Amino acid sequence: MLTRLTVHELGARFRSGEATPTEAARAYLDRMGALDPKVKAYLTPTADHALAQAAEADARFRSRAPRGLLDGVPVGLKDVFCTRGVETTCGSQILRGFRPPYDATVVARLRAAGAVILGKLNMDEFAMGSSTENSAFFTTRNPWDLSRVPGGSSGGSAAAVAADLAAATLGTDTGGSIRQPAAFCGTVGLKPTYGRVSRYGLIAFASSLDQVGPFGKDVADTALVLQAIAGHDPLDATSAAIPVPDYTAGLSAGVKDLKVGIPDEYFIDGLDPEVEAAVRAAIATLERLGAKTERVSLPHTEYGLAAYYVIAPAEASSNLARYDGVKYGLRVPGARDLIDMYSRTRGAGFGAEVKRRVMLGTYALSAGYYDAYYGKAQRVRTLVLRDFQRAFERVDVIVAPTTPSVAFKLGEREDPLQMYLNDVFTIPVNLAGLPGLSMPAGFTQSGLPIGLQIIGKAFDEATILRAARAYEAATPWRERKPELAV
Amino acid sequence: MAEPKISMKDVDHVARLSRLTLTDAEKERMRRELDGILTYIDKLRALDTEGVPPTSHAVPMKNVMRDDEPRPSFAQDDMLANAPDGSGEFFRVPRIIEESAGEARDR
Amino acid sequence: MSGAYEAVIGLEVHAQLRTRTKMFCGCSTAFGARPNTQTCPICQGMPGTLPVINRRAIEFGIKTSLAINCTVNADNRFARKHYYYPDMPKNYQISQYEEPLAEHGHLDIDTADGARRIGIQRLHLEEDVGKLLHEGSLETAASSQVDFNRAGVPLMEIVSKPDLRTSEEAAAYLKALRAILVYLDVCDGNMEEGSLRCDANISLRPAGAKEFGTKVEIKNMNSFKNVQHALDYEIGRQARALDAGLRIVQETRLWDPDRGHTVSMRSKEFAHDYRYFPEPDLPPLDLPPDWIAQIRATLPELPAARRQRFMTAYALSPYDAEVATSSKALADYFEAAAKGSANPKTVANWVLNEVLRVVPPDDEKAIAACPVKPAQLAGLIRLIEDGTTSGRMAKDVFEKMFQTGEDASTIVSREGLTQVADRSELILVVDNVLTAHAKVVEDYKAGKKAALGFLVGQVMKSTSGKASPAVVNALLLEKLPKV
């Protein structure tokens, strides 16, 4: 079945002629038709575009001139990426009907690689959330248990890969929005170093924290997608001019003598015992494979959440100021005057979580509060960063749980603060700008995926991927798939 | 240092600054939730950050600039295509009252 | 104002920079395009777009900072300034706040009481906003239309210290600053078109007092004259109010040039909360010292220095030097012509009188486009000096040169505008005139010296103006006593 294959396996079939991109695209589109009414990963499927792109890829394979390993591969994109001519909502009513006249850089790079775009994937509105319940349109379901959330904000991207509704997807991670849904949905998800991948065309949530990253069925696929999108972009002044290494080379080099740090502060009272057990077992596996583990301390971990919930909303309140009904998106009719138009449009167009964060952010930046909140949080950020820098003087990677719990039920976490606690292990990594990956590390008794997080030094995604591959090869987790009746 | 407990007056003020129309129910809920969050955030106060510089970018970069070379602008149609209220070659907005203009005049 | 009060004035100038592209994107800054045709997703603030700094704008900022004696802050940063307005694509303006490009400079101006040094508080860069159009006034229009062509054009904001004391000083400061900006070629200085804008802050205090009074901001002054008139009016208004024991309200007032008064904007007296924070999409600047040094080395001679040099090197009077340096183009023109001539003073006369009759002194483009090139002007002056043509005829020649762009010698030979200086030729004419106007000759001999002028005129008339006035004069003076 074409939809079960990884990107690598699919590419091999294309090259050998056993399958064509059009067949693969159709297979995915059919599966989407059958299953997505249950999973609800897609906001906007783009079947016609996909088939047209697949046909072009067919021709390239026929003339034995494919563009590369992603050519003809069906992928999905979180609806946070601007896609030219295709509705891009960012999960919000305020951008209903918005058709950008340009592609995000990462979208352009995937297109240039020949990838076939199946559609835009559901997400928490403006990437604010940890369950995709904040989407203005509907909630995506966790393919492992349709009564549970897939995580967020890239819930659609994670669910699509888990349910074989795309061969790979792109998401974004500001406080954990790739890693946490990857953990909840049992896929691989990578947040690169800040600046590794261009943010141009990524609808901004928190400018100093947002990063684009891939979801893959396995580590090798994830590395491949990262390769296609990474690298400096002159349109993004925060993108790094550091050369992109070959992420696929050395992937299987193993973890012999790799120094692995185990952070004390990530094994806390609130951690689900099954999650803890799985992560500890994973650490033991790594040791068996030759890694050298040692305890490290990241003492400011608990302050990371608080600092994040000042910085991210502050930047968000600024980035979302442009949604005002003037040039694009929703405008509520019948306003008395300009201010009324602004306020009613934003009041109607933004959901509750977005409004909450905009208010919080505006408050934190307002006159008299800047030093106490934003200024303070940026200093705490330095302390969090220094914790990691100190740890990385002794170890090469840090291994920890991705989340304190597994996927919870829809509607279970209503209190915002409760929801924010989901991100306690992922947020510090964003504050420090470091790369982090989540991958399957087992299942709970009730069959829910558990995620293992691997954190690396800045621009050292290669080591993370190598460690992940070694662990993956030594474990059976990726063979298990959710039982979704077609 | 600011007292993090947030009042209804604060909520009104911040809603105005954010250009958000909130119903009374929303305002009350907002006040409670923000109060909770701000109390949680207050734990940052406990940390001594004397002498600690702020980090605005974890990966330090500087002097990123581009040459003064023109790139083609986008077609007028493309730019106006998403306008909720286009008016020929322009975007149109409703009556601009004094309060709006006040902030803008001060620049 | 009876001298009981002292005015304290500060000026805030916004200059649009003459870069080819906008501050943060590659759209053109050219003036006059159809609405919304010089924009892109970046300057329209579409979702997902990001700014990238235009290096030339920074260069222009550094250049200007050095020219006005500021300290350039190597470490400087852009910041977001938030407020909602339809001409603001992102509802925040990328500007500079706590870490501006430059600070603490000064500009020397000439006033009736001598030279004064006016302090400059800061210089920073920011992006311009779009244009709002509406029928009638802002307050009454039912809707407004927005054109974003101008949004994103680089702006340089220069804030003076409150060192100015009279409206004349304010106008002089503005003129001097404008001249520098134009000399540096960083701004075209066009106040009518809005590439140079000026706002003032003005307060009054009792003469001799140390504390400042309540300041009022004045906007909408779009020429040097308007700046002066607006400030004069405002000084009068505030003085009258203070005399009557009234409190000055801190507010913004618009100058109405038609009615000759300032009008209150009546906005509430709360401080605007711009919620500044460092722009997270732009890494900070740390300007390399050798870049700054390189820019300093390329600074052209500034207006004040050039004025001095014209007075010493070319012996121009202070007034003539001032006019000749009132624009860089004019100064360049004068200097190029003077280099081609042995007589700079004559050149100055011609430039300041004849050339300025046909081109405005501060229109850089018109001067550059003047059909009479400096070398050609020098050529014409040489023809006068060697007697080929007379001063009077030369004026006609100049006009023709302006119309055709041809050299003086070409026109003179083609149109026969050579001066007749040959005594033997002129003697015949002189004799005829003396015969024809015997009465006038009698008047002259009777003591009416002015009759000579009439006779000269008659000779000129018969020679269609081509006779050399000097030779004619000499011949008449020789012959008259003998008639």
Coordinates of all heavy atoms in Angstrom, one line a residue, chain A residues 99 101 194 208 237-238 302-303 305 309-310 325-329 331 337-339 343-344 346 355-356 359 362 369 373 376 378-379 381-382 386 432-433, chain B residues 2 4 11 14-15 18-19 21-22 26 33 40-41 43-44 47 49 52-59 61 64 74 82-85 92 95 97 100:
Chain A
R99 N -6.0 34.6 0.3 CA -5.2 33.9 -0.7 C -3.9 34.7 -0.9 O -3.9 35.7 -1.6 CB -5.9 33.7 -2.0 CG -6.8 32.5 -2.1 CD -7.7 32.5 -3.3 NE -9.1 32.1 -2.9 CZ -9.4 30.8 -2.6 NH1 -8.5 29.9 -2.7 NH2 -10.6 30.5 -2.2
P101 N -0.6 36.1 -2.4 CA 0.0 36.2 -3.7 C 1.5 35.7 -3.8 O 2.2 35.9 -4.7 CB -0.1 37.6 -4.1 CG 0.0 38.4 -2.8 CD -0.6 37.4 -1.8
Y194 N 17.0 27.8 16.0 CA 16.4 29.1 15.5 C 17.4 29.7 14.4 O 18.6 29.9 14.7 CB 16.3 30.1 16.7 CG 15.7 31.4 16.2 CD1 14.3 31.5 16.2 CD2 16.4 32.4 15.8 CE1 13.7 32.7 15.8 CE2 15.8 33.6 15.4 CZ 14.5 33.7 15.4 OH 13.9 34.9 15.0
S208 N 10.8 35.7 17.8 CA 12.2 35.2 18.3 C 12.1 33.8 18.7 O 13.1 33.3 19.2 CB 12.6 36.1 19.4 OG 11.9 35.8 20.6
A237 N 16.0 38.1 7.7 CA 17.3 38.6 8.3 C 17.7 37.8 9.5 O 18.8 38.0 10.0 CB 17.1 40.1 8.7
T238 N 16.8 37.0 10.1 CA 17.2 36.1 11.2 C 17.6 34.8 10.8 O 17.9 33.9 11.6 CB 16.0 36.0 12.2 OG1 14.9 35.4 11.6 CG2 15.6 37.4 12.7
E302 N 12.0 25.5 35.4 CA 10.7 25.9 35.9 C 10.3 27.3 35.6 O 9.1 27.7 35.5 CB 10.5 25.6 37.4 CG 11.3 26.5 38.2 CD 10.9 26.5 39.7 OE1 9.7 26.8 40.0 OE2 11.8 26.2 40.5
Y303 N 11.3 28.2 35.4 CA 11.0 29.6 35.1 C 10.8 29.8 33.6 O 10.3 30.8 33.2 CB 12.1 30.5 35.6 CG 12.3 30.4 37.0 CD1 13.4 29.6 37.6 CD2 11.4 31.0 37.9 CE1 13.5 29.5 39.0 CE2 11.6 30.9 39.3 CZ 12.6 30.2 39.8 OH 12.8 30.1 41.2
L305 N 8.7 28.4 31.5 CA 7.3 28.5 31.1 C 6.8 29.9 31.4 O 6.2 30.5 30.5 CB 6.5 27.5 32.0 CG 5.1 27.2 31.4 CD1 5.2 26.3 30.2 CD2 4.2 26.6 32.5
Y309 N 5.6 32.7 28.6 CA 4.3 33.2 28.6 C 4.2 34.8 28.8 O 3.2 35.3 29.0 CB 3.3 32.5 29.5 CG 2.8 31.3 28.8 CD1 3.3 30.0 29.0 CD2 1.9 31.4 27.7 CE1 2.9 28.9 28.3 CE2 1.5 30.3 27.0 CZ 2.0 29.1 27.2 OH 1.6 28.0 26.5
V310 N 5.4 35.4 28.8 CA 5.5 36.8 28.7 C 6.0 37.1 27.3 O 5.4 37.9 26.5 CB 6.4 37.4 29.7 CG1 6.6 38.9 29.4 CG2 5.9 37.2 31.1
G325 N -8.8 44.1 9.3 CA -9.9 44.2 8.3 C -9.6 45.3 7.2 O -10.5 45.5 6.4
V326 N -8.4 45.8 7.2 CA -8.2 46.8 6.1 C -7.8 46.2 4.8 O -8.4 46.6 3.8 CB -7.1 47.8 6.6 CG1 -6.7 48.8 5.5 CG2 -7.5 48.6 7.8
K327 N -6.8 45.4 4.8 CA -6.2 44.9 3.5 C -6.5 43.5 3.2 O -6.4 43.1 2.0 CB -4.7 45.1 3.5 CG -4.2 46.5 3.8 CD -2.7 46.7 3.7 CE -1.9 45.9 4.7 NZ -2.2 46.3 6.0
Y328 N -6.8 42.6 4.1 CA -7.1 41.2 3.8 C -7.9 40.6 4.9 O -7.9 41.2 6.0 CB -5.7 40.5 3.6 CG -4.6 40.9 4.5 CD1 -4.6 40.4 5.9 CD2 -3.6 41.7 4.1 CE1 -3.6 40.8 6.7 CE2 -2.6 42.1 5.0 CZ -2.6 41.6 6.3 OH -1.6 42.0 7.1
G329 N -8.4 39.5 4.6 CA -9.2 38.7 5.7 C -10.5 39.3 6.0 O -11.1 40.1 5.2
R331 N -13.6 41.5 7.5 CA -13.9 42.8 8.0 C -15.4 42.7 8.4 O -16.2 42.3 7.5 CB -13.8 43.9 6.9 CG -14.2 45.2 7.5 CD -14.3 46.3 6.4 NE -13.0 46.7 5.9 CZ -12.8 47.8 5.2 NH1 -13.8 48.7 5.1 NH2 -11.6 48.0 4.7
D337 N -17.3 53.5 12.6 CA -16.1 54.3 12.2 C -14.9 53.4 12.2 O -15.0 52.2 12.5 CB -15.8 55.5 13.2 CG -15.8 55.0 14.6 OD1 -15.0 54.1 14.9 OD2 -16.5 55.5 15.5
L338 N -13.7 53.9 12.0 CA -12.5 53.0 11.9 C -12.2 52.2 13.2 O -12.0 51.0 13.1 CB -11.3 53.9 11.6 CG -10.0 53.2 11.4 CD1 -10.0 52.4 10.1 CD2 -8.9 54.1 11.4
I339 N -12.2 52.9 14.3 CA -11.9 52.1 15.5 C -12.9 51.0 15.8 O -12.6 49.9 16.2 CB -11.8 53.1 16.8 CG1 -10.7 54.0 16.6 CG2 -11.7 52.3 18.1 CD1 -10.4 54.8 17.9
S343 N -12.1 47.1 16.1 CA -12.4 46.3 17.3 C -13.4 45.2 17.1 O -13.3 44.1 17.6 CB -12.9 47.3 18.4 OG -12.0 48.3 18.5
R344 N -14.4 45.5 16.2 CA -15.4 44.5 16.0 C -14.8 43.3 15.1 O -15.1 42.2 15.4 CB -16.6 45.1 15.3 CG -17.3 46.0 16.2 CD -18.8 45.8 16.0 NE -19.4 47.0 15.4 CZ -20.5 46.9 14.7 NH1 -21.1 45.8 14.5 NH2 -21.1 48.0 14.3
R346 N -11.6 42.4 15.0 CA -10.7 41.6 15.8 C -11.4 40.8 16.8 O -11.1 39.7 17.2 CB -9.6 42.5 16.3 CG -8.7 43.0 15.3 CD -7.9 44.2 15.7 NE -7.0 43.9 16.8 CZ -5.8 43.4 16.7 NH1 -5.4 43.0 15.6 NH2 -5.1 43.2 17.8
K355 N -7.2 36.0 21.8 CA -7.5 37.2 22.5 C -6.8 37.3 23.8 O -6.3 38.3 24.2 CB -9.1 37.4 22.7 CG -9.8 37.8 21.4 CD -11.2 38.3 21.6 CE -12.1 37.2 21.4 NZ -13.5 37.7 20.9
R356 N -6.8 36.2 24.5 CA -6.2 36.1 25.8 C -4.7 36.5 25.7 O -4.2 37.3 26.4 CB -6.3 34.7 26.4 CG -6.1 34.7 27.8 CD -6.7 33.4 28.5 NE -6.8 32.2 27.6 CZ -8.0 31.6 27.4 NH1 -9.1 32.1 28.0 NH2 -8.1 30.6 26.6
M359 N -4.1 40.2 24.7 CA -4.3 41.0 25.9 C -3.1 40.9 26.8 O -2.6 41.9 27.3 CB -5.6 40.6 26.6 CG -6.9 40.9 25.9 SD -7.4 42.6 26.0 CE -8.0 42.7 27.7
T362 N -0.1 42.7 25.2 CA -0.2 44.1 25.2 C 0.1 44.7 26.6 O 0.7 45.7 26.8 CB -1.6 44.5 24.7 OG1 -1.9 44.0 23.4 CG2 -1.8 46.0 24.7
Y369 N 4.9 48.7 32.5 CA 5.1 47.3 32.8 C 6.2 46.6 32.0 O 6.5 45.4 32.3 CB 3.7 46.5 32.4 CG 2.6 47.0 33.3 CD1 1.5 47.5 32.8 CD2 2.7 46.8 34.7 CE1 0.4 47.9 33.7 CE2 1.7 47.2 35.6 CZ 0.5 47.8 35.0 OH -0.5 48.2 35.8
Y373 N 7.9 42.9 33.1 CA 7.5 41.7 32.4 C 8.4 41.4 31.3 O 9.2 40.5 31.4 CB 6.0 41.9 31.9 CG 5.0 41.8 33.0 CD1 4.4 43.0 33.5 CD2 4.8 40.6 33.7 CE1 3.5 42.9 34.6 CE2 3.9 40.5 34.7 CZ 3.3 41.6 35.2 OH 2.4 41.6 36.2
K376 N 12.2 41.7 32.1 CA 12.5 40.6 33.1 C 12.6 39.3 32.4 O 13.5 38.5 32.5 CB 11.5 40.6 34.2 CG 11.8 39.6 35.3 CD 12.8 40.1 36.3 CE 13.1 39.1 37.3 NZ 14.1 39.6 38.3
Q378 N 13.1 38.5 29.3 CA 14.3 38.4 28.4 C 15.6 38.1 29.2 O 16.5 37.4 28.7 CB 14.5 39.6 27.6 CG 13.3 39.9 26.6 CD 13.4 39.0 25.3 OE1 13.5 37.8 25.4 NE2 13.3 39.6 24.2
R379 N 15.6 38.6 30.4 CA 16.8 38.3 31.2 C 16.8 36.8 31.7 O 17.8 36.1 31.8 CB 16.9 39.2 32.4 CG 17.3 40.6 32.0 CD 17.1 41.6 33.2 NE 16.8 42.9 32.6 CZ 17.7 43.8 32.1 NH1 18.9 43.5 32.1 NH2 17.3 44.9 31.6
R381 N 15.4 34.5 30.2 CA 15.7 33.8 29.0 C 17.3 33.5 28.9 O 17.7 32.4 28.6 CB 15.3 34.5 27.8 CG 15.4 33.8 26.5 CD 14.8 34.6 25.4 NE 14.8 33.9 24.1 CZ 14.2 34.3 23.0 NH1 13.5 35.4 23.0 NH2 14.3 33.5 22.0
T382 N 18.0 34.5 29.2 CA 19.5 34.4 29.2 C 19.9 33.3 30.2 O 20.8 32.5 29.9 CB 20.2 35.7 29.6 OG1 19.7 36.7 28.7 CG2 21.7 35.6 29.6
R386 N 21.9 29.9 29.4 CA 23.2 29.6 30.0 C 23.2 28.2 30.6 O 24.2 27.5 30.6 CB 23.5 30.7 31.1 CG 24.0 32.0 30.6 CD 24.2 32.9 31.7 NE 24.7 34.2 31.2 CZ 24.8 35.3 32.0 NH1 24.6 35.2 33.3 NH2 25.2 36.5 31.5
A432 N 16.0 28.9 24.3 CA 17.5 28.9 24.1 C 17.8 28.8 22.6 O 18.9 28.8 22.2 CB 18.1 27.6 24.8
G433 N 16.8 28.7 21.7 CA 17.0 28.6 20.3 C 17.6 27.3 19.8 O 18.1 27.3 18.7
Chain B
A2 N 5.4 46.5 39.0 CA 3.9 46.6 38.9 C 3.2 45.4 39.6 O 3.7 44.3 39.7 CB 3.6 46.5 37.4
P4 N 0.7 42.6 39.8 CA 0.1 41.9 38.7 C -1.4 41.7 38.7 O -2.0 41.2 37.7 CB 0.9 40.5 38.7 CG 1.3 40.4 40.1 CD 1.6 41.8 40.6
V11 N -8.5 45.8 32.2 CA -9.0 45.0 31.0 C -9.5 45.9 30.0 O -9.2 45.8 28.8 CB -10.1 44.0 31.5 CG1 -10.7 43.3 30.3 CG2 -9.4 42.9 32.4
V14 N -6.6 47.8 28.3 CA -5.8 46.9 27.4 C -6.6 46.5 26.2 O -6.1 46.4 25.1 CB -5.3 45.7 28.2 CG1 -4.5 44.7 27.2 CG2 -4.3 46.1 29.3
A15 N -7.9 46.3 26.4 CA -8.7 45.9 25.2 C -8.8 47.0 24.2 O -8.8 46.8 23.0 CB -10.2 45.6 25.7
S18 N -5.6 47.2 22.4 CA -5.5 46.0 21.5 C -6.5 46.0 20.4 O -6.6 45.1 19.5 CB -5.6 44.7 22.2 OG -4.8 44.7 23.4
R19 N -7.4 47.1 20.4 CA -8.5 47.2 19.5 C -9.3 45.9 19.4 O -9.4 45.2 18.4 CB -8.0 47.5 18.1 CG -7.3 48.8 17.9 CD -8.2 50.0 18.1 NE -7.6 51.3 17.8 CZ -7.1 52.1 18.8 NH1 -7.1 51.7 20.0 NH2 -6.5 53.2 18.4
T21 N -13.0 44.2 20.7 CA -14.3 44.4 21.3 C -14.6 43.1 22.1 O -14.6 42.0 21.5 CB -15.4 44.6 20.2 OG1 -15.1 45.8 19.6 CG2 -16.8 44.6 20.8
L22 N -14.8 43.3 23.4 CA -15.2 42.1 24.2 C -16.5 42.3 24.8 O -16.9 43.4 25.2 CB -14.1 42.0 25.3 CG -12.7 41.8 24.9 CD1 -11.8 41.9 26.2 CD2 -12.5 40.5 24.2
E26 N -17.1 38.1 28.3 CA -15.7 37.8 27.9 C -14.8 38.6 28.8 O -13.7 38.1 29.2 CB -15.5 38.3 26.4 CG -15.9 37.3 25.4 CD -15.7 37.8 24.0 OE1 -16.1 39.0 23.7 OE2 -15.1 37.1 23.1
E33 N -8.9 35.0 34.0 CA -7.8 34.2 33.4 C -6.5 34.9 33.4 O -5.4 34.3 33.8 CB -8.2 33.7 32.0 CG -9.3 32.7 32.0 CD -9.9 32.5 30.7 OE1 -9.7 33.3 29.8 OE2 -10.7 31.5 30.5
Y40 N 0.9 33.5 38.1 CA 1.9 32.5 37.8 C 3.2 33.1 37.3 O 4.3 32.7 37.7 CB 1.3 31.5 36.7 CG 2.3 30.5 36.3 CD1 2.5 29.4 37.1 CD2 3.0 30.6 35.1 CE1 3.5 28.4 36.7 CE2 4.0 29.7 34.7 CZ 4.2 28.6 35.5 OH 5.1 27.6 35.2
I41 N 3.1 34.1 36.4 CA 4.2 34.7 35.8 C 5.0 35.4 36.9 O 6.2 35.6 36.8 CB 3.8 35.7 34.7 CG1 3.4 34.9 33.5 CG2 4.9 36.6 34.3 CD1 2.7 35.7 32.4
K43 N 6.2 34.5 39.4 CA 7.3 33.8 40.0 C 8.7 34.2 39.4 O 9.7 34.0 40.0 CB 7.2 32.3 39.8 CG 7.2 31.8 38.4 CD 7.7 30.3 38.2 CE 6.6 29.4 38.7 NZ 7.1 28.0 38.5
L44 N 8.6 34.9 38.3 CA 9.9 35.4 37.7 C 10.5 36.5 38.6 O 11.7 36.6 38.6 CB 9.6 36.1 36.3 CG 9.2 35.2 35.2 CD1 8.9 36.1 33.9 CD2 10.2 34.2 34.9
L47 N 13.4 35.5 40.8 CA 14.8 35.3 40.3 C 15.6 36.6 40.3 O 15.2 37.6 39.8 CB 14.7 34.9 38.8 CG 14.5 33.4 38.6 CD1 14.4 33.1 37.1 CD2 15.7 32.6 39.2
T49 N 18.0 38.7 38.6 CA 18.6 38.9 37.3 C 19.5 40.1 37.2 O 19.7 40.7 36.1 CB 17.5 39.0 36.2 OG1 16.6 40.1 36.6 CG2 16.7 37.7 36.0
V52 N 22.3 40.5 34.6 CA 22.1 39.5 33.5 C 21.5 40.3 32.3 O 20.5 40.9 32.3 CB 21.1 38.4 33.9 CG1 20.8 37.4 32.8 CG2 21.6 37.7 35.1
P53 N 22.2 40.2 31.1 CA 21.7 40.9 30.0 C 20.5 40.2 29.4 O 20.4 39.0 29.5 CB 22.9 40.9 29.0 CG 23.6 39.7 29.4 CD 23.4 39.4 30.8
P54 N 19.6 41.0 28.7 CA 18.5 40.3 28.1 C 18.9 39.6 26.8 O 19.9 40.0 26.1 CB 17.6 41.5 27.7 CG 18.4 42.7 27.6 CD 19.6 42.4 28.5
T55 N 18.3 38.5 26.5 CA 18.5 37.8 25.2 C 17.3 38.0 24.3 O 16.2 37.7 24.7 CB 18.6 36.3 25.5 OG1 19.8 36.0 26.2 CG2 18.7 35.5 24.1
S56 N 17.6 38.7 23.2 CA 16.5 38.8 22.3 C 16.5 37.8 21.2 O 15.6 37.4 20.6 CB 16.4 40.2 21.7 OG 17.7 40.5 21.2
H57 N 17.8 37.3 20.9 CA 17.9 36.2 20.0 C 18.9 35.2 20.5 O 20.0 35.6 20.8 CB 18.4 36.7 18.6 CG 17.4 37.3 17.8 ND1 17.2 38.7 17.6 CD2 16.4 36.7 17.1 CE1 16.2 38.9 16.9 NE2 15.6 37.8 16.5
A58 N 18.5 34.0 20.7 CA 19.3 33.0 21.3 C 20.6 32.8 20.4 O 21.6 32.4 20.9 CB 18.6 31.7 21.5
V59 N 20.4 33.0 19.1 CA 21.5 32.7 18.2 C 22.0 34.1 17.7 O 21.4 34.7 16.9 CB 21.1 31.9 17.0 CG1 22.3 31.6 16.1 CG2 20.5 30.6 17.6
M61 N 23.2 37.3 16.0 CA 23.6 37.7 14.7 C 23.6 39.2 14.7 O 23.0 39.9 15.6 CB 22.5 37.3 13.7 CG 22.7 35.9 13.2 SD 21.3 35.4 12.1 CE 20.1 35.0 13.3
V64 N 22.8 42.4 9.5 CA 22.3 41.8 8.4 C 21.6 42.8 7.5 O 20.6 43.5 7.9 CB 21.3 40.7 8.8 CG1 20.7 40.0 7.6 CG2 21.9 39.7 9.7
F74 N 4.8 44.0 -6.8 CA 3.7 43.2 -7.2 C 2.7 44.0 -7.9 O 2.6 45.2 -7.7 CB 3.1 42.5 -5.9 CG 3.8 41.3 -5.5 CD1 5.2 41.3 -5.2 CD2 3.1 40.1 -5.3 CE1 5.8 40.2 -4.8 CE2 3.8 39.0 -4.8 CZ 5.1 39.0 -4.6
N82 N -7.1 40.7 -2.1 CA -7.7 40.3 -0.8 C -8.4 41.4 -0.1 O -8.8 41.2 1.1 CB -6.6 39.7 0.1 CG -6.1 38.3 -0.4 OD1 -6.9 37.4 -0.3 ND2 -4.9 38.2 -0.9
A83 N -8.5 42.6 -0.7 CA -9.1 43.7 0.1 C -10.6 43.4 0.4 O -11.4 43.1 -0.5 CB -9.0 45.0 -0.7
P84 N -10.9 43.6 1.7 CA -12.3 43.5 2.1 C -13.2 44.6 1.4 O -14.4 44.3 1.1 CB -12.3 43.6 3.6 CG -10.9 43.4 4.0 CD -10.1 43.8 2.9
D85 N -12.6 45.7 1.3 CA -13.3 46.8 0.6 C -12.4 47.6 -0.3 O -11.7 48.5 0.2 CB -14.0 47.8 1.7 CG -14.8 48.8 1.0 OD1 -15.0 48.8 -0.2 OD2 -15.3 49.8 1.8
R92 N -10.2 50.8 1.0 CA -11.1 51.8 1.6 C -11.3 51.5 3.0 O -11.5 50.3 3.3 CB -12.4 51.9 0.8 CG -13.3 53.1 1.3 CD -14.4 53.4 0.3 NE -15.1 52.3 -0.2 CZ -15.9 52.3 -1.2 NH1 -16.1 53.4 -1.9 NH2 -16.5 51.2 -1.6
R95 N -14.9 56.0 8.2 CA -14.6 57.2 8.9 C -13.6 57.1 10.0 O -13.7 56.3 10.9 CB -15.9 57.7 9.6 CG -16.5 59.0 9.1 CD -17.6 59.4 9.9 NE -17.1 60.2 10.9 CZ -17.6 60.4 12.1 NH1 -18.7 59.8 12.5 NH2 -17.0 61.1 13.0
I97 N -12.2 58.7 13.1 CA -12.5 59.6 14.1 C -11.3 60.2 14.8 O -10.2 59.6 14.7 CB -13.5 59.1 15.1 CG1 -12.9 57.9 15.8 CG2 -14.8 58.7 14.4 CD1 -13.7 57.5 17.1
S100 N -8.5 58.1 16.8 CA -7.6 57.3 15.9 C -6.5 58.3 15.4 O -5.3 57.9 15.5 CB -8.3 56.9 14.7 OG -8.5 55.5 14.7

